């Protein structure tokens, strides 16, 4: 039997990390449900839907165009929590998967490699006609043309809205079912299926689940442990604990 760390994770064990908006908050990206969570008076549940896009495409495109511009402006940079997860990815000898709900690219910029964007990516656009996905750094407008099928006005942000199926679920659920450690960092536990990931770990009956947040969330009771505090402090500390044991 491999030795276990103080966290009781075998060095060849599997770690699955779920991140949410809270991990990017200290980089200057607003969260969805915090005090600054409204956009021009709209709740995300009202704007981030295919129905809203069909009804008011300009409004929804503007929502994402503004976020894309801010992400590329240079002020928003990966923080110590993103860096610590990239270090864990690079040095953990066992299986590792980082599933992020965030559509920013801060995990990639920090150096994470074993990464899945379950709610899509802001710097990509998808054609509603042919499904082609393109890297995209400019504003998306009604004039934009898909370079795959040449259709005009059919490009939308490559993101997952309410009622749409998140990306990579099969891989995520398989990893969760065999996880020895599950970390949920900076997510409010309001949005499914991500909010149910901890339940998959519990049902499998082998993994330790730790919630890392500024406060205990609605899902707190499902976790084995809480680490309360800003992600830039709690995540580097936990990664150091894990890497010290290998
Ligand atoms: C810090 C911090 C610091 C701050 N340090 N922490 C009824 C019951 C159950 C489910 C449903 C239901 N009705 C409908 C559903 C399903 C629906 C859903 O969950 N709705 C809820 C509103 C109830 N879900 C869906 O529709 C999903 N699809 C789906 O279910 O498909 C069906 C299916 C599933 C499985 C198999 C087959 C089919 C799709 C959900 C798509 C969500 N999309 C968005 C927008 C993405 C694009 C974009 O970014 O604009 O994703 S909504 C938004 O919420 C975004 C986020 O990724 C997501 C989660 O938010 P997150 O990350 O948790 O942020 P916050 O703001 O809520 O929380 C931040 C946290 O950080 C807070 O706790 C802070 O305390 C903390 N924090 N600073 C540490 N420094």
């Amino acid at each position: 039997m491999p030795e276990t760390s103080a966290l009781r994770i075998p060095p060849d064990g599997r770690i699955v990390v779920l991140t949410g908006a809270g991990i990017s908050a200290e980089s200057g990206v607003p969260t969805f449900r915090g005090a600054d969570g409204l956009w021009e008076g709209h709740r995300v549940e009202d704007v981030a839907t295919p129905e809203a896009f069909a009804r008011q495409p300009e409004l929804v495109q503007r929502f994402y165009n503004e976020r894309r511009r801010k992400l590329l402006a240079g002020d928003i940079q990966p923080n110590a929590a993103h860096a610590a997860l990239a270090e864990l990815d690079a040095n953990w000898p066992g299986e590792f998967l980082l599933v992020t709900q965030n559509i920013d690219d801060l995990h990639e910029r920090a150096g994470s490699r074993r990464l899945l964007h379950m709610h899509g990516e802001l710097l990509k656009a998808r054609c509603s006609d042919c499904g082609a996905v393109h890297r995209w750094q400019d504003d998306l407008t009604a004039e934009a043309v898909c370079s795959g099928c040449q259709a005009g006005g059919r490009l939308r942000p490559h993101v997952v809205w309410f009622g749409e199926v998140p990306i990579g679920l099969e891989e995520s659920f398989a990893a969760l079912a065999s996880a020895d450690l599950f970390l949920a960092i900076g997510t409010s536990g309001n949005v499914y299926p991500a909010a149910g990931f901890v339940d998959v770990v519990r049902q499998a009956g082998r993994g330790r689940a730790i919630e890392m947040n500024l406060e205990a969330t609605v899902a707190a009771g499902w976790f084995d442990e809480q680490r309360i505090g800003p992600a830039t402090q709690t995540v580097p500390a936990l990664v150091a604990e894990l890497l010290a044991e290998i």
Side-chain angles (χ1 to χ4, degrees):
M1 274 286 281
E3 274 187 32
T4 53
S5 73
L7 284 161
R8 301 202 303 273
I9 312 305
D12 61 350
R14 183 193 279 264
I15 299 177
V16 181
V17 181
L18 171 70
T19 60
I23 197 169
S24 295
E26 291 167 83
S27 294
V29 182
T31 62
F32 293 94
R33 295 169 184 82
D36 55 356
L38 287 181
W39 182 78
E40 292 186 9
H42 302 277
R43 297 182 323 139
V44 66
E45 285 80 2
D46 300 329
V47 184
T49 69
E51 293 77 17
F53 185 54
R55 217 171 32 242
Q56 294 182 284
E58 299 83 12
L59 175 96
V60 176
Q61 292 285 28
R62 200 163 75 240
F63 178 57
Y64 288 96
N65 287 342
E66 286 180 6
R67 288 168 67 190
R68 192 180 302 105
R69 273 190 234 149
K70 282 188 188 142
L71 183 61
L72 293 170
D75 294 345
I76 294 174
Q77 297 295 333
N79 63 45
H82 298 104
L85 291 179
E87 189 190 354
L88 184 59
D89 182 356
N91 294 295
W92 183 253
E95 299 274 339
F96 179 88
L97 180 65
L98 170 54
V99 183
T100 186
Q101 297 170 87
N102 300 342
I103 63 173
D104 65 52
D105 63 344
L106 298 181
H107 284 305
E108 287 92 331
R109 283 201 241 160
S112 281
R113 294 285 171 266
R114 291 179 274 181
L115 168 68
L116 199 162
H117 278 276
M118 68 178 291
H119 290 165
E121 296 172 66
L122 186 55
L123 300 182
K124 291 185 178 168
R126 186 166 77 242
C127 178
S128 303
D129 277 4
C130 72
V133 175
H134 309 282
R135 289 205 61 78
W136 203 271
Q137 301 219 326
D138 303 320
D139 281 0
L140 266 176
T141 63
E143 288 75 44
V145 171
C146 172
S147 59
C149 68
Q150 312 308 322
R154 302 293 293 155
L155 288 174
R156 55 164 278 184
H158 180 51
V159 300
V160 178
W161 287 323
F162 287 106
E164 297 182 324
V165 180
I167 295 163
L169 284 181
E170 205 175 319
E171 183 181 350
S172 296
F173 283 130
L176 290 160
S178 61
D180 297 287
L181 177 65
F182 172 62
L183 308 176
I185 304 170
T187 179
S188 61
N190 279 299
V191 177
Y192 287 83
F197 280 9
V198 63
D199 197 36
V200 179
V201 176
R202 283 171 59 98
Q203 296 286 335
R206 58 178 280 166
R208 183 173 177 77
I210 304 180
E211 176 171 80
M212 307 178 79
N213 201 301
L214 286 179
E215 59 192 17
T217 71
V218 287
W222 296 96
F223 288 84
D224 298 300
E225 184 182 337
Q226 250 80 40
R227 300 227 176 165
I228 301 294
T232 53
Q233 291 175 22
T234 56
V235 178
L238 184 138
V239 167
E241 267 178 66
L242 284 165
L243 294 181
E245 297 290 332
I246 56 175

